[in-house]
Amino acid sequence: MTSIGGAEMVDWNLAVATATRFVRPGPDVSKDEARAVVAELRRHAKASEEHVRGFTRMIPESHEPEDTPILVVDRAGWIKANVAGFRELLKPLLDKMQDRRAGGPTGAVLGAVGGKVTGVELGMLLSFLASRVLGQYETFAPASRDLPAGVNGGGRLLLVAPNIVHVERELEVDPHDFRLWVCLHEETHRTQFTGVPWLRDHLEGEIQSFLGETDVDPMTVLERLREAAQSLAGARPEGEEDESGRSIVELVQTPAQREILGRLTAVMSLLEGHADYVMDGVGPDVVPSVGEIREKFQQRRARGASRLDLALRKLLGLDAKLRQYRDGERFVRAVVDQVGMDGFNRVWTSPNTLPTKAEIAKPADWVARVHRRADS
């Protein structure tokens, strides 16, 4: 793993082992309670399909979209699934960085550092994230024996049971309502990708275009990972701030990348905001305490947790993700209010009808562009 010519940029197995070792233990539950939670999440995930399809009207009644598996996992299962997804998605970039390492002046240093150190540092970041994610529709999910995925590289829906239990206890909300509410959000993501056949390929194309334009010095990437790992370990002296203030995602080098990142930000804001809008729109009919859950959950999002949480959220770009939920939900709500759900669903017609980053902030501009063109 440390030879200059043959070492991988990331030791993926070590990343899994490190993240699994350092992830926080889940909440205290008995075996019987754990089995009951898993069974209930599976029931809610299945029930959410009908609720989401009926509310969004994205999938015609006569059409049965490609099925994707629903997996209830623990934190270690989430780690394994995401490492597999990262490995698949980042392969072109890591191959490019490896070629650069082999022929450049940093080759000897990186050969010594090797994929093992990078694997450990990536594992530390994943251990942090693994205790915070409630659920995830994993779009780019290679199938394995333990983690099945949809056909033709399709995705899978993950529900992280210990994290859901932890948050419902922290918020002191009705656990049955909260579990269904979370499932509604994640099922909306599954509906987005199974109901819009071109969306996955479009998103992957944008990501690969972004990675293809990347000209990041490998040492810089390693340094960013190291900063995050040091923050996790409390190595940064108290009171010392990150002078750069940049997230890993903000290591953008070219105008082309900035343009692609703007489009990706708009798409992710749409997808996250739409899921939030749907979970709250369906909620009153099937989740009696949805108002209380939303209020407490929003307070939790805004509050964050510790100083460490806030620093890592900024470094990893998670604060931007929180803005995506808020801005995207405002966009969806404004468009539906103006042109109705069927009018909003024109957003799924093609990549050309997706909102731009500017239109996310000004929904009326999207309505004017898409509906004027479609109706003329």
Side-chain angles (χ1 to χ4, degrees), residues 112-133:
V113 172
K116 289 189 180 295
V117 172
T118 315
V120 168
E121 292 176 338
L122 177 60
M124 293 296 291
L125 295 182
L126 288 171
S127 72
F128 168 78
L129 295 172
S131 62
R132 285 155 173 79
V133 176

Side-chain angles (χ1 to χ4, degrees), residues 167-199:
V167 174
E168 70 193 24
R169 289 179 177 178
E170 179 188 335
L171 297 181
E172 298 181 334
V173 294
D174 182 282
H176 309 295
D177 283 2
F178 184 75
R179 293 166 196 174
L180 177 54
W181 189 69
V182 171
C183 288
L184 289 169
H185 182 101
E186 302 311 328
E187 176 57 34
T188 303
H189 285 318
R190 192 166 75 131
T191 298
Q192 290 163 349
F193 283 95
T194 57
V196 184
W198 54 264
L199 183 57

Side-chain angles (χ1 to χ4, degrees), residues 87-110:
R87 187 173 191 173
E88 185 83 6
L89 195 61
L90 296 178
K91 188 177 186 303
L93 174 62
L94 295 179
D95 286 348
K96 180 178 180 179
M97 291 173 64
Q98 179 134 335
D99 290 342
R100 177 170 178 173
R101 179 186 67 181
T106 59
V109 176
L110 281 167

